[in-house]
Amino acid sequence: MSAAATGAAPAELPGWRHVRSGKVRDLYEPASAAPGEGDLLVVASDRVSAFDHVLATPVPDKGAVLTALSLWWFERLADAGLGLPDHVLSADVGPDDASAGVPAAVAGRAVRCRRLEMLPVECVARGYLTGSGLADYRATGAVCGVELPDGLEDGSRLHRPVFTPATKADVGHDENVSFAVVADLLGPALAERAREVTLRLYALGEEVARERGVLLADTKIELGLPPGVEAASADAPEALVLADEVLTPDSSRFWDAAAWAPGRAQPSFDKQFVRDWLLSDASGWDRAADAPPPPLPDDVVEATRGRYVEAYERLTGRRWG
Ligand code: Q0Z
């Protein structure tokens, strides 16, 4: 069985050196380059996470569907006049020598990217209140220092979207921070530009999704600078580049507009079958003991695959496969 199929270690790719893995994605650099040099290969696996665990059972086609969706958004965003270039070099399959394209073993799930100096901030925009934003609001009445009106509930639409940056944590969850903290880290001009592009990208994604009956509750983007451009320099704001994946169900919360009802947790567009099954008696999962979640039954896997495909088809207006 392949690594992707076991959810275990990432694949060995000829011509590429593994750099790091997240819960669901794997990052590589050319084996021919010195460590820390050369282009990058972002590979989306079929792994799924739920309740902070990577599940033992992959969802077939998930990596390919999310890669296709991200590439579709990159094109939409390039046409939208945000003035925000992206890191994509190619998603085309090339010879297995890292000289061009993507290795055949990960065709459809990998994007070759230019290497950037990533900002030490997760750029998040929220148009609806849930998750850590809701927790902060309940504790303080504000999210990332932005005061919100009284009376909001889980799933409430915000009167206007807010920039809710977070600093990256090596272990555990990212920490929500105020704009002032971002300005200290990046300098005020770059921080302003990061906020502006994040909110404009959210607005575009939210509008496209809403037209398709999908709510975009929030989204997280990763921004970087070309090597050599200092964050503090005057040209840094114009040099910002959109990296990583964009507006996928792994970087965003999508909700079915038809099911939206503030005052309770909203069903996840993609993962609700997984969550419901894991929390059901049928799974036998002892979540409280932090046991590893049990393997998913075939019907839950197939239903979840269908939700990723449906998200792709609704958002893009294209048929999958
Ligand atoms: C993205 C990540 C992944 C684990 C580094 N163009 C870029 N330049 C520099 N760094 C990155 C990128 Cl995309 C970069 N990540 C996040 C991706 C697996 C973590 F595939 N880390």
Side-chain angles (χ1 to χ4, degrees), residues 204-255:
L204 184 130
E206 189 273 338
E207 184 183 6
V208 170
R210 188 160 29 82
E211 286 166 357
R212 309 294 181 138
V214 177
L215 301 184
L216 175 63
D218 50 48
T219 196
K220 173 171 79 176
I221 61 170
E222 301 253 9
L223 299 171
L225 289 169
V229 177
E230 295 299 323
S233 74
D235 37 301
E238 298 307 306
L240 270 182
V241 179
L242 179 61
D244 222 287
E245 61 179 344
V246 67
L247 291 164
T248 74
D250 281 353
S251 67
S252 315
R253 283 190 181 90
F254 289 110
W255 297 335

Side-chain angles (χ1 to χ4, degrees), residues 20-28 40-44 87 113-118 222 242-245:
R20 75 169 70 96
S21 291
K23 283 193 176 124
V24 299
R25 289 171 315 142
D26 307 309
L27 194 65
Y28 298 80
L40 289 167
L41 192 70
V42 173
V43 180
H87 73 159
C113 312
R114 57 179 157 141
R115 187 189 291 263
L116 305 165
E117 308 271 10
M118 302 304 292
E222 301 253 9
L242 179 61
D244 222 287
E245 61 179 344

